[in-house]
Each structure stands twice: as C-alpha cells, then as structure tokens.
Amino acid sequence: MTSAQVDTENAPKESDEGYERGLGSRQVQMIAIGGAIGVGLFLGAGANIAKAGPSLIVMYALAGVIIFFIMRALGELLLYRPVSGSFAEYSREFLGPFFGYFTGWTYWLMWVVTGMAELTAAAIYVNYWFPAIPQWVTALVFLVILFGVNLISVKLFGELEFWFSMVKVTALIGMIVIGLGVLTFGFSAAGDTAAVSNLWAFDGFFPKGIGSSLMTLQGVMFAYLAVELVGVTAGESENPEKTLPKAINTLPWRIALFYVGALTVILCVVKWTEFAPGVSPFVAAFAKIGIPAGAGIVNFVVLTAALSSCNSGMYSTGRMLRNLADSGEAPAAFQRLSASRTPAFGITVSVLFMGIGVVLNYVVPEKAFGYVTSVATAAGIWTWLMILISHVLYRRAVDAGRLPASSFPAPGGAVCSYIAIAFLLFVTGLIAYDADSRVCLYVMAGWAAALGAGWAVLKSRNPEVTGRREAAPEKVG
C-alpha cells in the first residue's frame, strides 16, 4: 500500500487495496447484465444475419456456452482471491510476471480502442437527431461527462452503469414482447408475413452453408466482450462472496433471453433476407412492424449501449493501470488514489488516449471502425485465454494440495476450461483466415513486440520485478 492511500484498518467497507467497496449487489448484477448486451448485438448482428441467416442463433448460443465456461472459471478464481485487476493478477500468479504484465496492458489496450470506437459510434447516433452538430463535438462532450463520473466515485459509476443497463434490458424485453405479440396475434404491418417458419423457409436454416455461419463467430465473440468486467469489480464489491456467484450464475438465462431469444423473435417476425450490413436488425424490425418513432427509440438504446461500454472502459483501464503499477510494471504514479478512492491518474491517462478517437472523427472511415473492433476482439480473446489457463493451473495446485479450494468451484473442474481454450483457438484461426479481420493479428503482433521491448527495459532496470513471485495463498468465502 502506498503513502497516497488512506489507512483502511478501521473502515470495513474498503478493500485491502485502498478502494472503496462502493458497488452493491444491485449494481454488480446490472454491470454483469450490461456486459452481456452491447453494440455488438444491436448493430453487429445485422451484418452477421446477412452472412449466416437464421443459423446465427446457433452461433450466439454456442458462443454463449463458452462464455459461461469462461465466467465460471473466473468465478472460481475470484472466490479464491478477489482482487481488482483480476485477470492480470491471476496470470501473474499462475503463469509468471511477464504474463501478468502482458495481460494487464493488453486488457488496457482493449478498452482504450473500444472507447475510441464507442465514442465515434455515440456521436453518429446523436447525429441521427441533430445532424448539424459536428461529430467530434458530441464525442468530446460524452468523453468529458463520463470522465467526470468516473473521477467522482465508484458509487456514481455503478449507479450510471445500473441505469444504462436498465435501459438496454427494458428495451430488449420490450422488443421480445412486441415480437411475440406480432407472431401470436398477427397485428401490425408485419403480421401477415410473421411466422416461425421464417427460420427455415428461405433457403433453409443454414442458407449460406455451415462455413459461412462459423465465420460469424469472430463477430459474435465481439458482442460478448465486457462480460468479464465483473472480475474487475471484485475489489470494490461490498460482498463479493455473494454478489459475484449470483452475477455469474445468472449469465446463461441472460444470454438465452437477450441474445438467442431476441434474435429468434426478430427472425421470425422479419425474414432474414430483409436485413443488411450496417443496419441494426432491431431498427429494421421496428420499421417493418410500423411502430411510431420505433427507429428513434432503438437509436436511443444503441446510444446508451455505446456510452455504457465507454463508461466501463474508463472504469477498468484505471484499475488495470493501478494493478500494473502495484506490481512495478507501470509508472508508480498510477498507484495513487484520489480523495474519492478512484485511480484518477490512470483514468486520466486512459481518457487522453481515448481522446484520439475524438480527433479521428473527421477521418475515420467505416472500415477503420471494423478494424478497431477486431483489435478489441483479439485483445479480449487473449484475456479470456489467460483466465482459462490460470484456472487450469489453479485446479492443478488445488488437487496437489498447494492452494486452498475456492468456495465457488467451476462445474466439471478444468475440463470445461480446456474446451473453451480449444474454441478460442479455433476462433483465432477463423480471424486469421478472414482477410478483413486478419489485420488485427498484425496489430497484436506489433503490440506484443512493443510489450516485449518494454519488458526487456523493465528487466534491465528493475530485475527483481521480473523475477517470478508467488502470491500469498488466501482463501476467501
């Protein structure tokens, strides 16, 4: 603990890391739900429907099962030792300091580039209502507002994220209910053509072949990015032993309802051939049904999703930089906490990098937005792999009696983690095969080279930091 941190001996609501435990059960639950509903669903599903047709439903379900395996592996680690910046910390403990260093900086990169993309997207959404306002102005305003929220307190961050998620959840449930009403009672302009048979009536369930369906998995995985954010909240949750298992165990029904359920209903109401890349399938469905102001409503929901993602990015990047600084893998200035117990300096630096997105609003073409999201996906896959590999090594240590068992063991032990690792490697192969998304692997290779050079410098200046350290075992729960 640094001198800038306030003594926490007599403050039970603060974590051992100096953070305020300001996230209650209600907020952690909604952060978990919000992490599973993002722009990847609201916008990205349009392009994927055009590629795969109704079979996209199966791809979301398959990826959802893998995400649940990942989150149960993370949950077991979190209840063994709940720490903020958990992915990097577990990589550091079970694979060595270099992997903690690499994972922490890569997760930081994921959220910075995601923040750039989401700010640009949010500006485009506002442009729907106010075309006269320059996009860079809107992006800058949102950047400043969310920056202020994250600096004030973790409680305010949690509250804002709660309401962002509430909007997304309410909107999706409303869309599902309306769609079921159209299917059941046949009202609206879509009533005559809405039918469950739309799932297979137009060239079958796999209209473009299984290969095309599998190629959508990279976009589907992007839609699930941020579901692991629950792990970053561990150090600031009021009661992690209760809130984290509950948030993780409700993941399957959230995926079943918000992804599989919503897409199934929409593809029954509107035949898949009417959806196109670059158009939200939800906007298209509302237009077909003929609901007044439906497009505007969905546009507001998508704006909320973008702001939610950027808000989460600011939150997680500051915590990850502080975790790296605590381990001597980033400048010591990132260790400081503000009077409101937020890593203000780390958040500020991250926001400055996200601000590059504001500058680029004049020149970023549509394809560059796709490149940015593919980089975020590649960084996210690395993070998930580190969670899974750390979990496998943790289970080995528990079986050997070297570490205490977690109070929240993953079902099937390490078997599900092995399955998830194989799946993620398969998706990486799909990314390498696709010419448009392959560029992200080149970017990641450059990023790895830069981090490797940084590690070499760190090792020469501070060799004790790069020596393998074993964390003190601590059973929680």
Side-chain angles (χ1 to χ4, degrees), residues 4 141 183 185 405:
V141 169
L183 280 170
F185 301 108

Side-chain angles (χ1 to χ4, degrees), residues 38-291:
V39 176
L41 171 63
F42 286 118
L43 282 183
N48 288 326
I49 289 172
K51 291 178 183 177
S55 64
L56 183 65
I57 297 168
V58 175
M59 297 302 108
Y60 271 105
L62 175 62
V65 171
I66 299 301
I67 290 296
F68 181 61
F69 290 168
I70 294 169
M71 291 305 295
R72 281 305 303 256
L74 177 59
E76 182 166 357
L77 292 170
L78 287 171
L79 270 293
Y80 149 67
R81 194 163 67 91
V83 288
S84 191
S86 56
F87 325 119
E89 190 60 35
Y90 300 135
S91 299
R92 189 174 294 115
E93 177 178 353
F94 295 107
L95 288 107
F98 175 76
F99 287 92
Y101 159 85
F102 196 100
T103 301
W105 279 109
T106 300
Y107 196 66
W108 176 84
L109 172 71
M110 186 196 92
W111 275 114
V112 166
V113 296
T114 300
M116 291 180 191
E118 302 294 11
L119 283 171
T120 303
I124 292 171
Y125 302 147
V126 170
N127 207 40
Y128 173 85
W129 294 298
F130 305 103
I133 300 178
Q135 287 186 20
W136 72 268
V137 173
T138 309
L140 181 61
V141 169
F142 284 141
L143 184 70
V144 171
I145 291 173
L146 295 178
F147 177 47
V149 166
N150 273 271
L151 285 188
I152 292 172
S153 74
V154 68
K155 287 183 179 179
L156 185 57
F157 157 79
E159 198 62 30
L160 187 63
E161 197 59 29
F162 173 86
W163 289 108
F164 277 156
S165 296
M166 184 66 77
V167 168
K168 293 186 286 187
V169 169
T170 303
L172 270 180
I173 292 175
M175 292 173 190
I176 292 171
V177 170
I178 291 169
L180 290 174
V182 172
L183 280 170
T184 305
F185 301 108
F187 64 82
S188 87
D192 294 336
T193 56
V196 175
S197 61
N198 283 341
L199 293 177
W200 60 82
F202 301 93
D203 298 323
F205 192 72
F206 290 87
K208 297 192 176 183
I210 295 178
S212 293
S213 300
L214 290 175
M215 289 303 295
T216 64
L217 281 174
Q218 50 188 304
V220 169
M221 296 309 289
F222 172 74
Y224 285 122
L225 284 184
V227 71
E228 76 291 328
L229 186 64
V230 172
V232 184
T233 70
E236 293 168 277
S237 301
E238 287 179 352
N239 192 347
E241 294 86 354
K242 292 183 179 179
T243 57
L244 295 179
K246 185 177 180 182
I248 291 170
N249 279 335
T250 55
L251 186 65
W253 74 257
R254 284 186 269 123
I255 290 174
L257 176 64
F258 297 132
Y259 280 92
V260 178
L263 283 175
T264 300
V265 170
I266 281 180
L267 289 170
C268 288
V269 172
V270 182
K271 59 185 180 180
W272 74 268
T273 54
E274 296 188 22
F275 296 108
V279 178
S280 169
F282 296 94
V283 173
F286 268 50
K288 180 72 174 178
I289 293 171
I291 295 177

